[in-house]
Amino acid sequence: MTDDRKALIPVWTLATGDVQVPAVAGDGPMTAERLTELRSVLAGLADAPIATLEVHPLPGELDRRRGIPLDAVSPLATHLSQLITQTARNSSAAAKATASGEGLYRLVVPAKVAAQMGQGAVKSMVAKGTTDALRSPLVNTATGRIVGGATFIPVGSAATAGAAGGAGATAGIAVGGSAMLTVAAPLVLMAVAVGVSANVDRKRQQAIEHITELLEQLQEQKLDEEHSELDGCRDAIDKATAILLDQGKLGASLGLDSAVHAINTALGAADRRLAQWQNALAKLPEGKPVDIGTLTKSFPGVDDLGGTFRAHLELASLAIALKRRVVVLQAVEHAQSAPDNLFENFARALKADQQRLDELESGIAGVLIGLSVLELARPSGLRPVFTTGEVDRLMRAAHHIRRLGDGAVVNSRPTDVTIEIARSQDGSVVVFPAQPA
């Protein structure tokens, strides 16, 4: 990786429908700051969602296991190949950047699209021993520090190509819009669908890791059965994901219906537990210290890292992650069944079904924040002096309870979302988890 402050990065402006916006992009080079401003302007002016797609050199070290692989004939890979072929004919910058056949494609969708996807669907979450951010070509691979800037070159398409596999909208110039605006609804739809699916699947994996550790300590059969039933849904969801992303049709033989039933049952249990937690918090004396014994009656194990309360939290997290992935599948299926307004159907279905999950996550976050600000009372008793063990327990409990609020967000504001796609020379792609931009 060299210090190159003159790197030229082609960038496409992708619309998800025929929209008319002023020619704000222009056809000359722009800075990263100017590109960010352009995204904001287009998001505000256009009726249909508008995204930007950049192509960077493929990093030498890339952990592809974190993403979802799709072969070269999959709809997403096909639409990306079509876009590359069309624009390379008319743009020397695009032709040069895509000549090798491989690259790291970075799709940024605006915040209002993120809001349609559900505010809780995409959040930062770092897996153990890994980092979320991919190394861009402007980061030194040895030090991890940013070593250079980039100049972005707008790319347009002068040709129109039919969408592969009957995915709906075609790729081409948006009528009456900016000369650099390309209609590519299927490409944006599939990228968002796979990126969100990869994101929530990673959350599922982390939740399972935490639950497994907790259940090994608790050895509670009922909780272990809940965990097993939820984890058993993974196979059906994985198969349904593969079929839908290849634009196949879902059948009863997949077992998705039974998986959805198990997930909904777990969500019902999470709703009931949340209501109990909220009632228990409301009954605590406001502004007064709370005895640890009183607290653990309603929140068993809250003063420990391996208690039942924490297991219930992780089970709820797992159910939410699985449900979010199912919701994405249902939204894709719904959108593909109505190709004339493909992205609008996808966004509408996704937003409606995500609302309940957002409310559940927000409610749980509210409970965690409420617990984290509680003041614990000194142990009650006739003795004026407390043992070292009692003091240590109180200090540990206070520390664990305060940490409950770390990272809990009650109402997160939607931000721009970045989805990175690694394309190989054979046209196959790996889509990495969607992340806040």
Side-chain angles (χ1 to χ4, degrees), residues 337-352:
S337 67
D340 290 338
N341 72 339
L342 180 142
F343 196 87
E344 288 80 359
N345 273 337
F346 170 78
R348 190 181 305 115
L350 198 55
K351 182 180 180 180

Side-chain angles (χ1 to χ4, degrees), residues 8-10 55 90-98 153-155:
L8 297 180
I9 306 297
V55 56
N90 306 285
S91 169
S92 59
K96 182 178 179 180
T98 59
I153 306 295
V155 179

Side-chain angles (χ1 to χ4, degrees), residues 207 211 226 230 266-267 269-271 273 277 310-322 357 360-361 364:
I211 292 171
E226 284 189 49
L230 276 176
L267 288 173
D271 281 327
R273 286 165 181 160
W277 297 336
R310 310 233 177 203
H312 286 164
L313 288 176
E314 294 298 340
L315 285 169
S317 177
L318 175 58
I320 291 171
L322 289 170
L357 300 177
L360 177 57
E361 271 194 330
I364 292 174

